[in-house]
């Protein structure tokens, strides 16, 4: 029921069920706390997240990698990358989710150097991590680095293409954005509404009505 509420964007109801569990002296486990921490992340309420963190420690689940990952993500999503990093560094076991979570935290606050350090230290990089870095580099105007990362991705997905197209558009490289969009339509995944925003913006800046009409058709 908790998971169902969270999946339907009703985190408050999930937390209410947790309190009901405690009231009825039901035993919680390492599957319960990730749901509760996730509920706090959805609501961006770090205070409640800290309360659940205390519960995690008291119940002895602080060494569980699944629980730790959701805590790292919660602090990162709430903008508290310092505590997220502290938790990450102290984790006895880390996996790909752990690395992606702390990387996402640095991307969120726009810290390029720390994000690059984490990215370079990752034991195994995946497309999600590379996409996050492209988004960050684009925001900071480091277009050539973003392009290099894009080229290094073996399995480019829709987010990869969208991230670089948006990077070009954000930095005034409108012709490059439209050229890459053409490559995407020929060789990549089908476009969605997110990438179309960047494409239409590029068309507007270049005053290319014909291309804009084609984008409108899509």
């Amino acid at each position: 029921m908790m998971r169902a509420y969270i999946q339907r964007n009703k985190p408050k109801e999930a937390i209410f069920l947790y309190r009901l569990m405690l009231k009825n002296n039901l035993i919680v486990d390492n599957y319960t706390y990730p749901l509760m921490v996730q509920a706090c992340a959805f609501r961006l309420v770090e205070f409640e997240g800290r309360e659940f963190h205390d519960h995690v420690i008291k119940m002895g689940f602080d060494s569980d990698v699944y629980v730790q990952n959701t805590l790292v993500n919660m602090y990162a999503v709430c903008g508290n990358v310092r505590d997220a990093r502290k938790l990450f560094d102290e984790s006895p076991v880390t996996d790909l989710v752990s690395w992606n979570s702390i990387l996402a935290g640095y991307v969120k606050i726009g810290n390029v150097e720390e994000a690059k350090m984490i990215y370079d230290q990752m034991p195994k990089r995946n497309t999600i991590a590379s996409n996050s870095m492209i988004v960050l580099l684009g925001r900071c105007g480091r277009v050539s680095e973003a392009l290099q990362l894009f080229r290094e991705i073996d399995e480019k997905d829709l987010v990869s293409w969208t991230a670089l197209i948006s990077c070009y558009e954000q930095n005034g490289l409108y012709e490059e954005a439209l050229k890459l969009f053409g490559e995407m339509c020929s060789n990549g995944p089908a476009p969605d509404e997110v990438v179309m925003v960047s494409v239409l913006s590029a068309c507007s800046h270049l005053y290319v009505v014909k291309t804009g009409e084609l984008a409108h058709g899509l």
Side-chain angles (χ1 to χ4, degrees):
M1 281 304 301
M2 289 176 179
R3 188 183 301 278
Y5 276 131
I6 290 171
Q7 288 174 342
R8 284 152 184 79
N9 198 26
K10 295 182 178 180
K12 287 178 69 175
E13 285 83 347
I15 293 172
F16 173 78
L17 283 183
Y18 172 80
R19 291 172 178 153
L20 208 58
M21 285 180 70
L22 297 184
K23 187 177 179 181
N24 287 276
N25 297 315
L26 295 174
I27 298 173
V28 296
D29 59 18
N30 60 326
Y31 291 101
T32 309
Y33 286 112
L35 293 172
M36 294 300 93
V37 175
Q38 192 179 356
C40 295
F42 281 163
R43 298 178 64 202
L44 299 177
V45 282
E46 185 184 338
F47 177 76
E48 280 187 353
R50 284 187 178 280
E51 289 183 330
F52 284 114
H53 191 173
D54 289 340
H55 285 213
V56 165
I57 295 170
K58 288 175 183 176
M59 298 300 289
F61 295 121
D62 49 316
S63 60
D64 185 281
V65 65
Y66 184 37
V67 176
Q68 287 284 78
N69 286 346
T70 53
L71 284 167
V72 170
N73 179 68
M74 183 274 296
Y75 284 119
V77 166
C78 291
N80 186 351
V81 183
R82 184 187 63 181
D83 283 353
R85 181 61 183 271
K86 184 174 183 291
L87 201 56
F88 173 83
D89 289 339
E90 293 173 352
S91 297
V93 180
T94 55
D95 60 11
L96 191 56
V97 176
S98 315
W99 286 91
N100 279 336
S101 296
I102 192 63
L103 176 64
Y106 285 120
V107 169
K108 181 180 175 65
I109 64 172
N111 191 327
V112 181
E113 299 311 319
E114 287 293 335
K116 284 186 69 177
M117 193 178 299
I118 289 291
Y119 183 78
D120 291 340
Q121 292 174 356
M122 290 180 77
K124 184 181 178 182
R125 298 170 194 157
N126 62 356
T127 305
I128 294 173
S130 298
N131 291 346
S132 297
M133 286 301 301
I134 292 171
V135 169
L136 177 59
L137 292 167
R139 286 187 202 147
C140 299
R142 297 164 76 155
V143 180
S144 59
E145 293 176 64
L147 175 59
Q148 181 62 36
L149 265 184
F150 177 82
R151 286 174 174 166
E152 292 172 1
I153 299 175
D154 293 326
E155 298 181 5
K156 299 176 180 63
D157 59 13
L158 177 59
V159 179
S160 311
W161 289 89
T162 301
L164 189 61
I165 290 169
S166 176
C167 167
Y168 283 142
E169 186 272 328
Q170 288 172 354
N171 289 280
L173 301 171
Y174 307 118
E175 291 182 3
E176 288 83 348
L178 294 180
K179 182 180 177 182
L180 186 64
F181 179 68
E183 291 179 26
M184 175 184 159
C185 291
S186 300
N187 309 308
D192 67 355
E193 69 274 14
V194 179
V195 71
M196 295 309 300
V197 171
S198 296
V199 170
L200 289 168
S201 175
C203 291
S204 298
H205 282 92
L206 291 173
Y207 299 101
V208 283
V209 179
K210 202 71 178 175
T211 307
E213 286 175 350
L214 292 173
H216 188 183
L218 284 175

